[in-house]
Amino acid sequence: MNLLLVEDEPNVVSVISRGLTEEGFSVSVAPDGLIGEKMVKTNHFDLIILDIILPGINGLELCKIIKKEKPTTPIIMLTALGTTENVVNGLDNGADDYLIKPFKFAELFARIRMLLRRYNGASANDHIINIADLQINLSAKTVKRASSEIILTATEYRLLEFMAKNKSKILSRIDILENVWDIDFNLGTNVVDVYVNYLRKKVDRIGSQKLIHTAIGLGYVLKEA
């Protein structure tokens, strides 16, 4: 497996490179965003670890560039910017996961394994989930409601797919964090609530029937009324 680390802090580069190499990965390093962009365009990487504050091009802009050109390449944001707003901004720009410095290598390694499993194990078979007038195509990753297409970010889509696969089941915030983001990166964050609200505005705004419900004190549920 070939990994790219875009990071300008030598100590962080040393720890991650040594640890991943010991785990059997081949690690390439870009010290700034411009070099990272060139390396992505000329090489294949199975996963990219990306700092936000970088010389040249910042990590958010680079993430958008990568996802536009190579949408199936998983990206982990690695940064000291740890507010909910920072997390949401990173995910909205295409990141698949967000790890806050300082971090433990074991946690980073767990997230890498999860993302590689998710992307490499995706089913190629067409499958449709229908809930009322909501239609989710699991193969094409498209969503429609009442025949109107709904444009979702990658994270919004994963959240909707998870809720749809668990139709009528109350899902706690921890359930959602562990399955949509693969690991509970911060149980104190309200990122789940933020993304459920994003989803409501796009999914329930179009149809007349409310599908995303709050179970007070318990979590959220996707169901027909």
Side-chain angles (χ1 to χ4, degrees), residues 13-14 62 71 95 105 138:
V13 170
S14 177
L62 181 55
F105 179 78
L138 301 181

Side-chain angles (χ1 to χ4, degrees), residues 11-61:
N11 291 338
V12 176
V13 170
S14 177
V15 170
I16 294 177
S17 297
R18 183 173 63 252
L20 291 179
T21 299
E22 290 175 355
E23 294 292 342
F25 291 100
S26 175
V27 182
S28 300
V29 177
D32 63 52
L34 290 172
I35 294 175
E37 181 183 7
K38 292 178 182 178
M39 292 177 70
V40 169
K41 289 181 176 179
T42 56
N43 299 277
H44 167 75
F45 295 104
D46 297 288
L47 182 141
I48 297 171
I49 302 169
L50 183 61
D51 194 4
I52 289 182
I53 302 175
L54 290 167
I57 302 175
N58 70 53
L60 295 175
E61 289 300 318

Side-chain angles (χ1 to χ4, degrees), residues 163 168-173 175-176 192-193 196 200 210-223:
M163 296 181 76
S168 300
K169 177 182 177 182
I170 295 175
L171 302 170
S172 70
R173 289 170 178 80
D175 290 331
I176 295 171
V192 170
D193 307 287
V196 168
R200 274 185 169 140
K210 182 179 178 181
L211 297 178
I212 301 174
H213 304 265
T214 300
I216 298 175
L218 297 173
Y220 299 99
V221 57
L222 181 66
K223 66 177 183 177

Side-chain angles (χ1 to χ4, degrees), residues 106-170:
E107 184 178 3
L108 172 62
F109 186 48
R111 296 180 187 218
I112 290 171
R113 291 199 312 269
M114 290 288 189
L115 282 177
L116 291 175
R117 217 164 32 233
R118 176 198 296 168
Y119 275 82
N120 294 334
S123 172
N125 297 322
D126 286 339
H127 185 51
I128 305 294
I129 296 178
N130 291 296
I131 302 174
D133 57 351
L134 176 69
Q135 183 183 88
I136 305 169
N137 186 315
L138 301 181
S139 178
K141 306 295 184 187
T142 57
V143 177
K144 293 182 179 180
R145 182 143 196 209
S147 299
S148 297
E149 185 174 3
I150 301 173
I151 305 300
L152 301 178
T153 66
T155 304
E156 289 167 351
Y157 174 82
R158 290 199 304 271
L159 174 58
L160 180 61
E161 180 181 302
F162 176 62
M163 296 181 76
K165 286 180 176 178
N166 291 275
K167 175 187 174 184
S168 300
K169 177 182 177 182
I170 295 175

Side-chain angles (χ1 to χ4, degrees), residues 134 145 150 160 199-207:
L134 176 69
R145 182 143 196 209
I150 301 173
L160 180 61
L199 209 51
R200 274 185 169 140
K201 291 177 181 178
K202 293 184 178 182
V203 172
D204 283 342
R205 180 178 59 85
I206 295 175

